[in-house]
Structures are given as C-alpha cells and as structure tokens.
Amino acid sequence: MASKPFDTFCYQVCSLIRWKPARYAAWAELNAHLEDHAAALEAQGMESEEAARRAVEAMGDPYKLGHQLDQCHSPQIGRAHV
C-alpha cells in the first residue's frame, strides 16, 4: 500500500542517514510500521487517508528520528560490520 504521506515521511527520515545501506533498510522498516499502523486504524473504521496521516503523526518528528537513526547507523560503524 504505497502512500504519499508514507513516502514523504520515509524520505525525510532516511535523507539524514549517511550510510546508504542503512537508508534502504530503515525505509523498508519504517514503511512496514506505517502500513501496519494504518491498517489497524482502518480496521477500526477510519478512512484510509486519515489512517495514513495518523500513522505518520504517531511516528513523531521525522528529522529527530532521522538524526537518531543516523547515530545508530554511522558510516564508520556500518563499514566495520560489512
């Protein structure tokens, strides 16, 4: 279920992750969480657009999250594990 709000959120978060392999993994995981949350809201009777918007809101500030994920997936740390 591709969603523009999901894509926008994931882009905002992942653009702050410097290590590219971590960006792709983070995007996939974030999108899966957003889809699951939106699906749960839709199952409660919420319209799909509203459910997508609320799922994104529940994730919080994309820039704060992006900076936190960048710290967890630093290019130096990531290369040591590859």
Side-chain angles (χ1 to χ4, degrees), residues 13-35:
V13 171
C14 294
S15 67
L16 299 169
I17 301 172
R18 293 170 289 164
W19 192 48
K20 286 185 183 184
R23 276 186 215 157
Y24 302 124
W27 188 299
E29 187 168 344
L30 287 168
N31 196 63
H33 285 301
L34 290 165
E35 286 180 354

Side-chain angles (χ1 to χ4, degrees), residues 19 74-82:
W19 192 48
S74 133
Q76 291 78 24
I77 294 171
R79 289 190 185 117
H81 291 92
V82 173

Side-chain angles (χ1 to χ4, degrees), residues 8-60:
T8 300
F9 182 83
C10 290
Y11 176 80
Q12 290 170 334
V13 171
C14 294
S15 67
L16 299 169
I17 301 172
R18 293 170 289 164
W19 192 48
K20 286 185 183 184
R23 276 186 215 157
Y24 302 124
W27 188 299
E29 187 168 344
L30 287 168
N31 196 63
H33 285 301
L34 290 165
E35 286 180 354
D36 289 346
H37 191 167
L41 293 172
E42 286 179 48
Q44 295 175 3
M46 191 175 290
E47 294 291 325
S48 64
E49 287 182 20
E50 178 67 10
R53 187 184 68 73
R54 293 245 183 125
V56 168
E57 284 178 358
M59 293 296 282

